[in-house]
Amino acid sequence: MKRLLLAAFLLLAVAACKTNPFTGKSTLNFYQNNSIFPSAFAQYDEFLKSNKVVSGTEESRMITNVGQRIARAAERWLSANGYPGYLKDYQWEYNLVQDETVNAWCMPGGKIVFYTGIMPICQGETGVAVVMGHEIAHALADHGAQRMSAAMVQQGIAIAGNIAIDDPQKRNIFNQAYGIGSTVGVMLPFSRSHETEADRIGLQIMAIAGYNPEEAAELWKRMKANSGGAAPPEFLSTHPSNDTRIANLTSWAPLAKEEARKFGVTSFQ
């Protein structure tokens, strides 16, 4: 019975693979758009109702305009690379929310929030495009659904381990070791890989939208200065370190410009 449960679980994981169009790699994803998007849209609407949305200002209009421009660039890339209709279920929405937190986020299906606290660090439209490209990339690559799927796998293995181990003492040791090991050794690196992937995809689509990808490293230098060096070690974090991101973005900027030239984009703001 135990082996049957494990085999069924592994079969489900293999069957749930989905190809990331930007990397060509298979990803673990148990969720179809029609199952996860409606829930995400509802949660987004609830969030907006309980927070102060900034509208009718130059900054709020810029958030929307930049988002639309980058979403169109993503659609151009996807259509040109054999994925027409990939975004048919997406319902892009961009909102600026009054909150001093230095952050922005995107829910599955394209629902994006910028907090006012990040705007001084963006320092204008191109900086907003850096953040927007990163957040849109999370949506394009189904990172939300992948994280949920990975959490399901993590929980499933824990349950299987508890079923398989009869001795209470050994079961306790397993739970402690597995909890730390699966988090530090699997889930945190998984999250960091998503952030790195979103950085690279975001750089590419912001360049296709006509924004200078070289600004990305500059923005992260400002983010580093704003943090005052207060950050956990990279291996204990959900995000790559600022220095890692700056180095990556600097090395990828020429490649992003090269990709943009394939779409006739040769000048960047």
Side-chain angles (χ1 to χ4, degrees), residues 143-160:
H143 285 162
Q146 288 182 48
R147 284 193 295 272
M148 291 171 63
S149 299
M152 186 183 295
V153 171
Q154 183 187 35
Q155 183 179 24
I157 293 174
I159 291 171

Side-chain angles (χ1 to χ4, degrees), residues 41-177:
F41 298 162
Q43 290 177 46
Y44 185 79
D45 290 341
E46 286 300 313
F47 173 85
L48 295 181
K49 289 176 184 176
S50 59
N51 288 270
K52 185 178 179 181
V53 177
V54 179
S55 60
T57 67
E58 183 178 347
E59 282 191 337
S60 66
R61 286 190 291 269
M62 179 170 61
I63 294 294
T64 298
N65 292 338
V66 171
Q68 291 174 340
R69 186 167 159 179
I70 292 180
R72 286 194 297 269
E75 188 161 20
R76 287 183 67 194
W77 189 94
L78 288 161
S79 296
N81 285 273
Y83 292 89
Y86 184 88
L87 299 175
K88 64 182 178 64
D89 297 324
Y90 285 65
Q91 295 181 20
W92 298 107
E93 188 173 349
Y94 321 91
N95 281 287
L96 180 64
V97 168
Q98 185 66 49
D99 190 308
E100 293 310 304
T101 305
V102 180
N103 199 16
W105 47 264
C106 180
M107 299 193 77
K111 301 294 187 178
I112 293 169
V113 161
F114 271 60
Y115 292 133
T116 52
I118 202 171
M119 299 306 287
I121 294 175
C122 289
Q123 291 187 355
E125 186 174 345
T126 305
V128 168
V130 173
V131 178
M132 186 68 73
H134 176 90
E135 298 306 331
I136 285 179
H138 277 310
L140 296 173
D142 294 324
H143 285 162
Q146 288 182 48
R147 284 193 295 272
M148 291 171 63
S149 299
M152 186 183 295
V153 171
Q154 183 187 35
Q155 183 179 24
I157 293 174
I159 291 171
N162 278 268
I163 292 172
I165 300 171
D166 296 322
D167 182 84
Q169 185 175 0
K170 290 181 180 179
R171 189 186 307 126
N172 186 50
I173 293 171
F174 165 79
N175 285 331
Q176 291 183 18

Side-chain angles (χ1 to χ4, degrees), residues 2 25 58 77 125 134 160 167 182 185 250 253 261-262 264:
K2 294 172 184 177
K25 297 179 181 178
E58 183 178 347
W77 189 94
E125 186 174 345
H134 176 90
D167 182 84
S182 65
T250 299
R261 291 188 188 99
K262 297 177 184 178

Side-chain angles (χ1 to χ4, degrees), residues 76 208 259-267:
R76 287 183 67 194
I208 294 171
E259 187 68 20
R261 291 188 188 99
K262 297 177 184 178
F263 294 84
V265 181
T266 57
S267 61

